[in-house]
Amino acid sequence: MTLLSVNNLSVQTGGHSLVTDVSFDIQKGEWLAIIGQSGSGKSSRRQQSGGCSPRT
């Protein structure tokens, strides 16, 4: 069972692309870790995929 499906997610702010064309599914029982350097868009990706941020 798919709990979360993200398709073609892109996030831009201040004219800069933070995340481009990211897609993934999370199935029941699966874990997903998003790692990266400071400022690489981890929190923006999480907020946008959860519907917590307005679309840009």
Side-chain angles (χ1 to χ4, degrees), residues 15-48:
H16 299 286
S17 180
L18 301 177
V19 176
T20 304
D21 198 26
V22 174
S23 298
F24 60 88
D25 292 329
I26 299 177
Q27 304 296 326
K28 184 177 180 178
E30 287 185 331
W31 288 76
L32 173 71
I34 299 174
I35 59 173
Q37 296 178 337
S38 178
S40 64
K42 299 178 300 292
S43 294
S44 297
R45 185 177 318 155
R46 179 185 50 82
Q47 291 169 351
Q48 190 70 28

Side-chain angles (χ1 to χ4, degrees), residues 4 6 9 44-55:
L4 177 65
V6 175
L9 174 68
S44 297
R45 185 177 318 155
R46 179 185 50 82
Q47 291 169 351
Q48 190 70 28
S49 64
C52 300
S53 296
R55 290 180 173 245

